[in-house]
Amino acid sequence: MRDEIDIYEKEITTKYRQLLWSRFLKAIHEFKLITPGDKICVCISGGKDSMLMAKLFMCLKKFMDFDFEVKYLVMNPGYNEINLQTIKNNLKILNIPAEIRETNIFEIANSQDKSPCFLCAKMRRGALYNIAKSMGCNKIALGHHYDDVIETTLMNMLSSGSFQTMLPKLRSTNYEGMELIRPLYYIREKDIIRFRKDNNLNFIQCACRFTENCAICDNGGGGSRRLYIKNLIKELKKEIPDVEKNLFSAANNVTLDMILGYKKKGQYHSYLEEYDDSDNQ
């Protein structure tokens, strides 16, 4: 990897210092996403978020005050030729030294009649962990950002009837010693789009066979349900200006005294457990 700062890294640490660089560093330090000796696999899907994340990590390697290793991975689930070439072109433009690993995930998932999207997502995540582990890494970094967090939180409430958010880091239960981190946790999607547009960059939309014909889309919405939630938040913002901030903050401001129940390590706890105990005191 080159030691000098390229034009994109210079923009990230100057023009976009507050919007991108500082928020990236905030998530890393606040949630302790990186520790000395870590070997991190930066997973690049080919979209705007993961490509920016790779550039942020390239900056970080030059400025961090302790030693850690970074490897850049493009796991090809079976992109068409146009999308794969778009990814390769962007890796060259952005000077990202990524390794491309081939899989046949799209082919397998799309051969299933039931829940191909669920199977595809599960297989892609499993492939990332397996490849990262084979590369000697103990962490995988994914490009989920602030807007992904609030959209996921609201989607779980409305579609699943549960309050679950997207955590900044998560230990794998299936791959011993592996951890998932999300260093774009505080970065807004609009600022990623602004960076893309200011630099005349074009990325693929997402790693989905159903949307692969859109090779250079702006938003990477990724599915009708998530797009619906994204639009719903926009509508809510017209009446509640702080709705995005409030949704994000809600996951860090849960008042257990005022909820009916919660799950911890798979076990359900009712508010009546402590309520009944208080009667005996």
Side-chain angles (χ1 to χ4, degrees):
M1 188 182 296
R2 301 181 311 164
D3 290 328
E4 68 268 19
I5 300 290
D6 66 27
I7 58 172
Y8 303 104
E9 293 167 18
K10 184 176 181 180
E11 273 208 350
I12 285 170
T13 55
T14 55
K15 180 179 179 180
Y16 287 92
R17 186 176 187 86
Q18 294 302 316
L19 298 177
L20 300 179
W21 182 237
S22 293
R23 294 179 183 183
F24 177 70
L25 293 178
K26 179 182 178 183
I28 287 173
H29 291 303
E30 185 171 316
F31 299 115
K32 300 177 181 178
L33 301 184
I34 302 175
T35 56
D38 275 343
K39 294 184 178 180
I40 301 167
C41 180
V42 175
C43 302
I44 303 169
S45 68
K48 65 187 189 314
D49 309 325
S50 59
M51 284 286 188
L52 171 64
M53 178 176 66
K55 292 307 295 181
L56 285 162
F57 266 101
M58 291 178 73
C59 292
L60 190 68
K61 275 294 293 178
K62 295 181 174 82
F63 295 114
M64 203 66 162
D65 57 1
F66 61 77
D67 188 46
F68 66 98
E69 189 175 344
V70 181
K71 296 185 178 181
Y72 302 89
L73 169 68
V74 174
M75 187 277 295
N76 179 10
Y79 294 119
N80 64 31
E81 291 184 10
I82 295 175
N83 280 349
L84 183 57
Q85 190 57 52
T86 299
I87 292 173
K88 290 179 178 179
N89 292 344
N90 284 325
L91 292 176
K92 185 176 181 180
I93 291 169
L94 295 169
N95 303 309
I96 300 171
E99 179 180 349
I100 299 178
R101 294 283 190 98
E102 305 292 334
T103 73
N104 60 347
I105 291 174
F106 279 169
E107 182 181 347
I108 296 172
N110 289 324
S111 68
Q112 306 299 309
D113 294 330
K114 295 183 179 180
S115 305
C117 295
F118 173 80
L119 178 61
C120 181
K122 184 177 181 180
M123 291 180 66
R124 282 190 286 119
R125 184 64 60 84
L128 289 175
Y129 274 115
N130 278 318
I131 295 172
K133 199 161 189 176
S134 74
M135 295 170 72
C137 298
N138 66 306
K139 292 181 179 179
I140 66 171
L142 300 184
H144 297 121
H145 48 65
Y146 184 104
D147 296 76
D148 288 323
V149 175
I150 61 176
E151 289 162 15
T152 298
T153 303
L154 186 57
M155 189 156 54
N156 281 329
M157 292 173 65
L158 299 180
S159 301
S160 304
S162 64
F163 186 88
Q164 298 180 61
T165 193
M166 185 179 278
L167 296 174
K169 65 180 180 180
L170 195 64
R171 289 192 181 93
S172 173
T173 56
N174 298 317
Y175 299 87
E176 186 177 356
M178 295 294 291
E179 190 174 16
L180 179 155
I181 62 174
R182 296 184 170 104
L184 304 191
Y185 206 75
Y186 286 125
I187 294 179
R188 297 304 309 265
E189 183 178 32
K190 64 181 180 180
D191 297 323
I192 299 175
I193 293 173
R194 179 180 167 187
F195 175 80
R196 182 197 70 75
K197 289 183 176 179
D198 284 354
N199 288 284
N200 296 312
L201 298 168
N202 293 311
F203 302 110
I204 70 168
Q205 181 182 15
C206 68
C208 177
R209 175 61 58 88
F210 296 109
T211 59
E212 67 178 0
N213 290 329
C214 182
I216 51 172
C217 295
D218 283 353
N219 54 36
S224 58
R225 182 171 295 181
R226 183 168 289 274
L227 182 59
Y228 172 80
I229 294 295
K230 188 184 293 284
N231 290 332
L232 175 60
I233 293 173
K234 287 181 181 178
E235 289 300 312
L236 291 171
K237 192 175 180 181
K238 294 176 182 178
E239 297 296 328
I240 312 171
D242 290 333
V243 65
E244 294 165 318
K245 177 183 175 182
N246 292 340
L247 281 169
F248 191 88
S249 299
N252 198 42
N253 191 28
V254 178
T255 305
L256 291 180
D257 293 335
M258 298 302 293
I259 62 171
L260 290 173
Y262 64 94
K263 286 183 180 179
K264 187 172 183 179
K265 296 183 178 178
Q267 184 174 356
Y268 178 79
H269 298 273
S270 169
Y271 88 107
L272 290 175
E273 294 173 11
E274 293 189 8
Y275 187 89
D276 291 340
D277 288 342
S278 66
D279 289 342
N280 299 322
Q281 292 179 357

